[in-house]
Amino acid sequence: MTELRTLVVAVAAAFMGACSLIPAYERPAAPVPAAFPDAPAGTASASEAPAWRDYFADPRLRELVELALANNRDLRIAALNIERARAQYGIQRADLFPSISANGGQTAQRLPADLSRTGEAGTSRQYSATVGFSAYELDFFGRIRSLNEQALEQYLGTEEARRSAQISLVAEVANAWLRLAADRERQTLANNTLATRQKSYELTKRSFDVGATSALDLRQAQTLLEGARADAARYAALVAQDRNALALVVGTDVPSALLPQAFAESITAVAELPAGVPSEVLTRRPDILQTERQLRAANASIGAARAAFFPRITLTAAAGTASSTLDGLFEAGSGTWSFVPQISLPIFEAGRLTANLEVTKVQREIAVAQYEKAIQSAFREVADALADRATLAEQLDARRRLVEATEASFKLSEARYKAGVDSYFGLLDAQRSLYAAELDLIAVRQSDAANRIALYKALGGGWQ
């Protein structure tokens, strides 16, 4: 056992002195401008970077997101992928250390008389008990450590994939929640419009029955009534589908208390983008960090490919006791040991090692291009969202003013019709215009909220 401990110490010293052939890693420069186009002017500080709990201020939405994080199956799969990658990394890391095992055995052999030295048939037995390791590679040139580094980066990449999945899930829950709020608002508007047109139709029919209005006026009123009824039924179906979609993304039934109420309150639950956010924040997006981990893994594989050109030294050693009788196995003088070093030096591989090294270098260049492409795609996502953000305030103001103008026009048309100045057609046209303007305002308000969520997602969960 003393010899074995000495050998293990020597192996550890050799391991500590091993070198690495992994190229020095340098993060590629981001191929995008330093600032986003159409971004708010000013300077952002690190304290302005909220987590999703602060980004989405409504307590019902925050509780719903927590529910989704605990129950969503896609996120659960991402977490299980991390566990698998962690186990794979543990397997690869184990190669850095010798695998020590204890063995016990018996060998029995019978020799016939014509093969025995004594001329008589006999049976010989041998018992042994040893502790040792087999074919442990001394990593002088960093081959195993390069593979370990590659496995580590791949494992860390799966963690970034889980973070990316979480950000996508948070955004998806918020979008589904706001979509439900918007469709509920549309349903309420359609129901109110249906009630108003029902009364208008009944008044018109009574007038028609006494000959005060024409059949054309009656049919036009009926046309608006049936259109409102169809819209009310359509939005009722959409609200039901929105609730189903929300339950699916959350991963469980959604309590009624967590559903959105007024749409205006739902919109204010989403934070605004602060001024002066630099494009450098993109390098902290989980999907881009995952791509960079893949680049680092490709860089580490070059070290393993380079180390393959150098000798591989492996050791097999064991120490223990052996005896021809079981009861003498652990007696004095029964000690035994073995030490088998081996060296393997590549001499002729027909270009296989060189080609493998070239493959790893090309894979690294591919990973660099993928990393740069990921940053460019992320930059475009933010730039597109900011382009919408730059005009949404104006669109909202214009839609609000349009609703106010069409509402005033409707009231004037109604007064003129009652006074007998205008035809019923003008009043119906004003009703249609007001209804369409109110629907358009809801759509723009929903786009405004969805745009803030898109920025949250495009910036990697905020602007940290």
Side-chain angles (χ1 to χ4, degrees):
M1 297 300 294
T2 303
E3 293 88 347
L4 181 61
R5 285 196 297 269
T6 304
L7 182 59
V8 170
V9 172
V11 168
F15 170 73
M16 295 299 293
C19 62
S20 175
L21 299 177
I22 301 177
Y25 175 77
E26 294 182 6
R27 174 185 286 179
V32 294
F36 295 112
D38 300 310
T43 303
S45 64
S47 62
E48 294 174 352
W52 67 262
R53 293 175 182 82
D54 299 322
Y55 194 93
F56 303 105
D58 191 291
R60 291 163 300 181
L61 179 54
R62 290 203 302 265
E63 189 172 346
L64 195 63
V65 171
E66 292 280 8
L67 199 62
L69 293 177
N71 293 280
N72 183 268
R73 298 308 186 271
D74 290 336
L75 192 62
R76 190 173 299 176
I77 292 172
L80 291 174
N81 284 335
I82 292 177
E83 294 300 321
R84 180 179 62 183
R86 181 183 292 124
Q88 290 172 340
Y89 168 61
I91 293 172
Q92 185 62 57
R93 187 173 182 272
D95 289 341
L96 290 170
F97 306 95
S99 178
I100 300 175
S101 60
N103 299 286
Q106 172 194 2
T107 302
Q109 184 180 22
R110 180 184 184 281
L111 291 177
D114 59 345
L115 293 180
S116 174
R117 292 181 179 179
T118 62
E120 297 180 0
T123 300
S124 63
R125 299 180 184 274
Q126 179 180 335
Y127 301 89
S128 65
T130 59
V131 176
F133 53 86
S134 176
Y136 170 63
E137 181 176 346
L138 297 179
D139 196 27
F140 284 117
F141 304 101
R143 188 186 74 87
I144 297 177
R145 280 182 297 155
S146 297
L147 295 175
N148 178 67
E149 181 73 17
Q150 180 183 11
L152 174 61
E153 295 298 340
Q154 291 170 345
Y155 158 61
L156 294 175
T158 59
E159 171 62 26
E160 299 299 343
R162 187 203 62 81
R163 288 184 55 222
S164 182
Q166 177 174 313
I167 291 171
S168 297
L169 175 61
V170 171
E172 193 173 354
V173 170
N175 272 321
W177 193 74
L178 288 167
R179 191 181 306 114
L180 174 59
D183 283 339
R184 275 187 160 186
E185 186 88 357
R186 293 185 179 98
Q187 183 185 22
T188 300
L189 175 61
N191 288 335
N192 293 338
T193 302
L194 174 61
T196 300
R197 291 181 180 179
Q198 181 69 42
K199 294 177 181 178
S200 178
Y201 172 76
E202 292 172 355
L203 288 173
T204 304
K205 190 173 187 309
R206 285 198 293 268
S207 298
F208 172 75
D209 290 341
V210 298
T213 58
S214 66
L216 178 60
D217 290 343
L218 179 62
R219 296 310 175 195
Q220 287 175 335
Q222 185 180 9
T223 299
L224 287 183
L225 172 64
E226 299 305 331
R229 179 175 295 139
D231 281 353
R234 179 164 61 92
Y235 289 126
L238 286 176
V239 167
Q241 291 172 357
D242 290 341
R243 291 196 62 168
N244 294 337
L246 187 59
L248 176 62
V249 70
V250 171
T252 186
D253 291 335
V254 179
S256 299
L258 300 184
L259 296 177
Q261 303 301 323
F263 186 44
E265 297 176 2
S266 303
I267 291 178
T268 57
V270 184
E272 283 280 4
L273 176 73
V277 176
S279 64
E280 183 186 0
V281 299
L282 294 179
T283 59
R284 296 192 288 272
R285 264 180 47 155
D287 59 331
I288 292 178
L289 287 175
Q290 181 186 7
T291 307
E292 185 176 7
R293 293 295 181 188
Q294 294 170 351
L295 173 57
R296 287 177 175 271
N299 195 65
S301 68
I302 295 178
R306 286 176 172 176
F309 286 88
F310 295 89
R312 293 178 60 181
I313 301 175
T314 58
L315 299 177
T316 298
T321 179
S323 174
S324 60
T325 60
L326 185 60
D327 56 358
L329 186 59
F330 295 100
E331 293 181 354
S334 64
T336 181
W337 60 269
S338 65
F339 177 60
V340 185
Q342 289 183 327
I343 183 170
S344 174
L345 176 64
I347 297 177
F348 177 71
E349 295 282 349
R352 182 179 62 86
L353 296 178
T354 302
N356 185 59
L357 178 59
E358 290 302 317
V359 167
T360 59
K361 290 181 178 179
V362 173
Q363 286 175 338
R364 181 181 61 179
E365 295 306 313
I366 292 174
V368 169
Q370 289 173 336
Y371 175 74
E372 293 174 342
K373 177 65 176 179
I375 290 183
Q376 290 175 335
S377 299
F379 185 88
R380 179 183 175 181
E381 290 176 11
V382 177
D384 287 348
L386 288 173
D388 286 340
R389 182 95 243 132
T391 62
L392 275 169
E394 185 176 353
Q395 292 181 50
L396 276 171
D397 183 64
R399 290 297 177 184
R400 289 192 187 100
R401 291 178 181 272
L402 179 60
V403 169
E404 293 172 359
T406 52
E407 186 175 10
S409 176
F410 169 71
K411 292 179 180 178
L412 289 173
S413 296
E414 187 178 33
R416 289 172 65 85
Y417 171 73
K418 290 179 179 179
V421 177
D422 278 349
S423 66
Y424 190 63
F425 178 79
L427 176 61
L428 296 180
D429 186 61
Q431 285 182 341
R432 281 192 295 263
S433 298
L434 177 58
Y435 180 56
E438 289 174 330
L439 285 176
D440 288 342
L441 177 59
I442 294 174
V444 175
R445 288 162 63 196
Q446 183 183 0
S447 296
D448 176 64
N451 177 262
R452 300 187 206 178
I453 297 172
L455 278 172
Y456 163 82
K457 182 179 178 181
L459 290 170
W463 38 89
Q464 291 92 331

